[in-house]
Amino acid sequence: MPTDLIVTQATPAEWDEIVAWTAAEGWNPGHGDAAHFLPSDPAGFFVGRLDGRVVSAVSVVVYSPQYAFLGYYLVHPELRGTGLGLATWNAALPHAAGRVIGLDGVPAQQATYARAGFVPAYRNVRHTGRPRTSGAAPDPAALAVAPHHHPAIAAYDRGCFPAARAGFVSRWLDGPGHTARVLLGADGRVRGYGVIRPAHQGHRIGPLFADRPEDAAVLFDALVATLPPGAEVAIDVPDRYPAAAELATDRGLTATSECLRMYTGPAPASRVEAVYGTTTLELG
């Protein structure tokens, strides 16, 4: 175990470096993701340094007194297998003390997470491709999100996510390059919403939350209609509800990779049937 590793909170510039690592690993981060992620819990993003050089990272984002999410567990490729990752993990994990912790584990790390007490819940399967569209104009019911929609969307999001995250939702809806659409019922209540953003390769949809499969389809089509012809899209689809994968495959996307959602305790309650696309694999 390295004894000269120093683990501290990351600066924004250091986290930009970590996001660049994830691009090299094929995670396909969105442009500007760090600026949206860091304010969620500024104390929850950690880097390890050797002789002043950043060599490892992990995020442990606290959402509530009951729930936290772990991501960005990385060691520089030149230094893997040296104990730096575990040392960084051990230094950062107390930040989430007393909470159920979630994560999305790549296949190579799932056994490691299981030994640390994480229990499998479901898979997030990334579907990628150039979406098949009808060529028709998007359904006008899918409205462009305006600031006055934010509180209602945040309340809707809370039913689909294990904790309230209104600040993150507001930043995510309005982020540079982000496009958001919302569906409202006849009573004015939110029936679903979705966001698409430019990524290192193509675009990523997330979240895609909706009351019904047909609502999710309207939102999906409205989001991809904003892209140039032939643009590539990726969406991370939980396998808990078959209609989510059916939507992705019906639009011509193909499963290309997967992660395993795991928790340190009972899976937090959320509307399984409303999640057609996970927000991010980094922050849940």
Side-chain angles (χ1 to χ4, degrees), residues 1-7 48-53 55 84 87:
M1 184 69 65
T3 58
D4 49 355
L5 179 74
I6 298 174
V7 179
R49 301 181 186 83
L50 285 177
D51 299 323
R53 175 194 175 194
V55 295
L84 294 171

PDB file of all heavy atoms in Angstrom, residues 1-7 48-53 55 84 87:
ATOM      1  N   MET A   1       0.846  -1.190   0.000  1.00  0.00           N
ATOM      2  CA  MET A   1       0.000   0.000   0.000  1.00  0.00           C
ATOM      3  C   MET A   1       0.881   1.239   0.000  1.00  0.00           C
ATOM      4  O   MET A   1       1.794   1.355   0.822  1.00  0.00           O
ATOM      5  CB  MET A   1      -0.897  -0.013   1.238  1.00  0.00           C
ATOM      6  CG  MET A   1      -1.883   1.125   1.279  1.00  0.00           C
ATOM      7  SD  MET A   1      -3.147   0.954  -0.003  1.00  0.00           S
ATOM      8  CE  MET A   1      -3.966  -0.546   0.573  1.00  0.00           C
ATOM      9  N   PRO A   2       0.662   2.171  -0.931  1.00  0.00           N
ATOM     10  CA  PRO A   2       1.501   3.366  -0.985  1.00  0.00           C
ATOM     11  C   PRO A   2       1.320   4.214   0.262  1.00  0.00           C
ATOM     12  O   PRO A   2       0.212   4.407   0.746  1.00  0.00           O
ATOM     13  CB  PRO A   2       1.007   4.099  -2.227  1.00  0.00           C
ATOM     14  CG  PRO A   2      -0.388   3.600  -2.433  1.00  0.00           C
ATOM     15  CD  PRO A   2      -0.402   2.188  -1.949  1.00  0.00           C
ATOM     16  N   THR A   3       2.419   4.707   0.809  1.00  0.00           N
ATOM     17  CA  THR A   3       2.345   5.532   2.015  1.00  0.00           C
ATOM     18  C   THR A   3       2.543   7.013   1.712  1.00  0.00           C
ATOM     19  O   THR A   3       2.324   7.842   2.583  1.00  0.00           O
ATOM     20  CB  THR A   3       3.416   5.084   3.024  1.00  0.00           C
ATOM     21  OG1 THR A   3       4.706   5.182   2.393  1.00  0.00           O
ATOM     22  CG2 THR A   3       3.173   3.651   3.463  1.00  0.00           C
ATOM     23  N   ASP A   4       2.988   7.340   0.493  1.00  0.00           N
ATOM     24  CA  ASP A   4       3.241   8.734   0.155  1.00  0.00           C
ATOM     25  C   ASP A   4       2.154   9.333  -0.728  1.00  0.00           C
ATOM     26  O   ASP A   4       2.308  10.419  -1.262  1.00  0.00           O
ATOM     27  CB  ASP A   4       4.599   8.903  -0.517  1.00  0.00           C
ATOM     28  CG  ASP A   4       4.825   7.921  -1.650  1.00  0.00           C
ATOM     29  OD1 ASP A   4       3.955   7.052  -1.852  1.00  0.00           O
ATOM     30  OD2 ASP A   4       5.870   8.023  -2.334  1.00  0.00           O
ATOM     31  N   LEU A   5       1.027   8.612  -0.869  1.00  0.00           N
ATOM     32  CA  LEU A   5      -0.103   9.129  -1.624  1.00  0.00           C
ATOM     33  C   LEU A   5      -0.856  10.144  -0.772  1.00  0.00           C
ATOM     34  O   LEU A   5      -1.166   9.883   0.390  1.00  0.00           O
ATOM     35  CB  LEU A   5      -1.046   8.000  -2.028  1.00  0.00           C
ATOM     36  CG  LEU A   5      -2.292   8.413  -2.812  1.00  0.00           C
ATOM     37  CD1 LEU A   5      -1.905   8.770  -4.246  1.00  0.00           C
ATOM     38  CD2 LEU A   5      -3.333   7.302  -2.804  1.00  0.00           C
ATOM     39  N   ILE A   6      -1.162  11.298  -1.350  1.00  0.00           N
ATOM     40  CA  ILE A   6      -1.934  12.340  -0.664  1.00  0.00           C
ATOM     41  C   ILE A   6      -3.280  12.451  -1.361  1.00  0.00           C
ATOM     42  O   ILE A   6      -3.342  12.729  -2.568  1.00  0.00           O
ATOM     43  CB  ILE A   6      -1.198  13.685  -0.686  1.00  0.00           C
ATOM     44  CG1 ILE A   6       0.137  13.568   0.054  1.00  0.00           C
ATOM     45  CG2 ILE A   6      -2.062  14.780  -0.063  1.00  0.00           C
ATOM     46  CD1 ILE A   6       0.997  14.808  -0.037  1.00  0.00           C
ATOM     47  N   VAL A   7      -4.376  12.224  -0.631  1.00  0.00           N
ATOM     48  CA  VAL A   7      -5.725  12.290  -1.184  1.00  0.00           C
ATOM     49  C   VAL A   7      -6.413  13.538  -0.640  1.00  0.00           C
ATOM     50  O   VAL A   7      -6.506  13.720   0.570  1.00  0.00           O
ATOM     51  CB  VAL A   7      -6.541  11.033  -0.837  1.00  0.00           C
ATOM     52  CG1 VAL A   7      -7.957  11.142  -1.417  1.00  0.00           C
ATOM     53  CG2 VAL A   7      -5.854   9.783  -1.366  1.00  0.00           C
ATOM     54  N   GLY A  48      -5.923  11.574  -5.838  1.00  0.00           N
ATOM     55  CA  GLY A  48      -4.706  11.174  -5.145  1.00  0.00           C
ATOM     56  C   GLY A  48      -3.501  11.697  -5.902  1.00  0.00           C
ATOM     57  O   GLY A  48      -3.468  11.681  -7.134  1.00  0.00           O
ATOM     58  N   ARG A  49      -2.493  12.176  -5.150  1.00  0.00           N
ATOM     59  CA  ARG A  49      -1.289  12.733  -5.760  1.00  0.00           C
ATOM     60  C   ARG A  49      -0.050  12.007  -5.244  1.00  0.00           C
ATOM     61  O   ARG A  49       0.053  11.705  -4.060  1.00  0.00           O
ATOM     62  CB  ARG A  49      -1.148  14.227  -5.438  1.00  0.00           C
ATOM     63  CG  ARG A  49      -2.293  15.099  -5.895  1.00  0.00           C
ATOM     64  CD  ARG A  49      -2.005  16.561  -5.519  1.00  0.00           C
ATOM     65  NE  ARG A  49      -3.137  17.437  -5.812  1.00  0.00           N
ATOM     66  CZ  ARG A  49      -4.178  17.616  -5.017  1.00  0.00           C
ATOM     67  NH1 ARG A  49      -4.246  16.947  -3.871  1.00  0.00           N
ATOM     68  NH2 ARG A  49      -5.161  18.431  -5.360  1.00  0.00           N
ATOM     69  N   LEU A  50       0.865  11.802  -6.159  1.00  0.00           N
ATOM     70  CA  LEU A  50       2.218  11.355  -5.821  1.00  0.00           C
ATOM     71  C   LEU A  50       3.179  12.411  -6.334  1.00  0.00           C
ATOM     72  O   LEU A  50       3.178  12.735  -7.529  1.00  0.00           O
ATOM     73  CB  LEU A  50       2.535  10.019  -6.483  1.00  0.00           C
ATOM     74  CG  LEU A  50       1.893   8.759  -5.904  1.00  0.00           C
ATOM     75  CD1 LEU A  50       2.279   7.539  -6.738  1.00  0.00           C
ATOM     76  CD2 LEU A  50       2.320   8.543  -4.450  1.00  0.00           C
ATOM     77  N   ASP A  51       3.957  12.992  -5.426  1.00  0.00           N
ATOM     78  CA  ASP A  51       4.919  14.035  -5.798  1.00  0.00           C
ATOM     79  C   ASP A  51       4.245  15.158  -6.582  1.00  0.00           C
ATOM     80  O   ASP A  51       4.798  15.690  -7.552  1.00  0.00           O
ATOM     81  CB  ASP A  51       6.067  13.441  -6.615  1.00  0.00           C
ATOM     82  CG  ASP A  51       6.848  12.392  -5.835  1.00  0.00           C
ATOM     83  OD1 ASP A  51       7.025  12.583  -4.620  1.00  0.00           O
ATOM     84  OD2 ASP A  51       7.256  11.385  -6.443  1.00  0.00           O
ATOM     85  N   GLY A  52       3.006  15.495  -6.182  1.00  0.00           N
ATOM     86  CA  GLY A  52       2.280  16.576  -6.814  1.00  0.00           C
ATOM     87  C   GLY A  52       1.555  16.209  -8.082  1.00  0.00           C
ATOM     88  O   GLY A  52       0.790  17.016  -8.618  1.00  0.00           O
ATOM     89  N   ARG A  53       1.737  15.006  -8.580  1.00  0.00           N
ATOM     90  CA  ARG A  53       1.090  14.555  -9.818  1.00  0.00           C
ATOM     91  C   ARG A  53      -0.196  13.814  -9.494  1.00  0.00           C
ATOM     92  O   ARG A  53      -0.219  12.935  -8.630  1.00  0.00           O
ATOM     93  CB  ARG A  53       2.035  13.631 -10.579  1.00  0.00           C
ATOM     94  CG  ARG A  53       1.432  12.990 -11.821  1.00  0.00           C
ATOM     95  CD  ARG A  53       2.313  11.854 -12.307  1.00  0.00           C
ATOM     96  NE  ARG A  53       1.704  11.151 -13.432  1.00  0.00           N
ATOM     97  CZ  ARG A  53       2.122   9.958 -13.877  1.00  0.00           C
ATOM     98  NH1 ARG A  53       3.147   9.344 -13.278  1.00  0.00           N
ATOM     99  NH2 ARG A  53       1.516   9.392 -14.894  1.00  0.00           N
ATOM    100  N   VAL A  55      -2.730  11.057  -9.763  1.00  0.00           N
ATOM    101  CA  VAL A  55      -2.568   9.670 -10.221  1.00  0.00           C
ATOM    102  C   VAL A  55      -3.818   8.829 -10.014  1.00  0.00           C
ATOM    103  O   VAL A  55      -3.900   7.700 -10.518  1.00  0.00           O
ATOM    104  CB  VAL A  55      -1.375   8.992  -9.507  1.00  0.00           C
ATOM    105  CG1 VAL A  55      -0.063   9.668  -9.890  1.00  0.00           C
ATOM    106  CG2 VAL A  55      -1.573   8.987  -7.986  1.00  0.00           C
ATOM    107  N   LEU A  84      -2.876   2.137  -5.403  1.00  0.00           N
ATOM    108  CA  LEU A  84      -3.283   3.537  -5.340  1.00  0.00           C
ATOM    109  C   LEU A  84      -4.801   3.692  -5.347  1.00  0.00           C
ATOM    110  O   LEU A  84      -5.352   4.565  -4.673  1.00  0.00           O
ATOM    111  CB  LEU A  84      -2.683   4.309  -6.511  1.00  0.00           C
ATOM    112  CG  LEU A  84      -1.152   4.443  -6.520  1.00  0.00           C
ATOM    113  CD1 LEU A  84      -0.682   5.032  -7.842  1.00  0.00           C
ATOM    114  CD2 LEU A  84      -0.702   5.318  -5.360  1.00  0.00           C
ATOM    115  N   ALA A  87      -6.204   2.829  -1.890  1.00  0.00           N
ATOM    116  CA  ALA A  87      -5.868   3.870  -0.921  1.00  0.00           C
ATOM    117  C   ALA A  87      -6.744   5.104  -1.120  1.00  0.00           C
ATOM    118  O   ALA A  87      -7.196   5.729  -0.149  1.00  0.00           O
ATOM    119  CB  ALA A  87      -4.388   4.241  -1.059  1.00  0.00           C
TER     120      ALA A  87
END
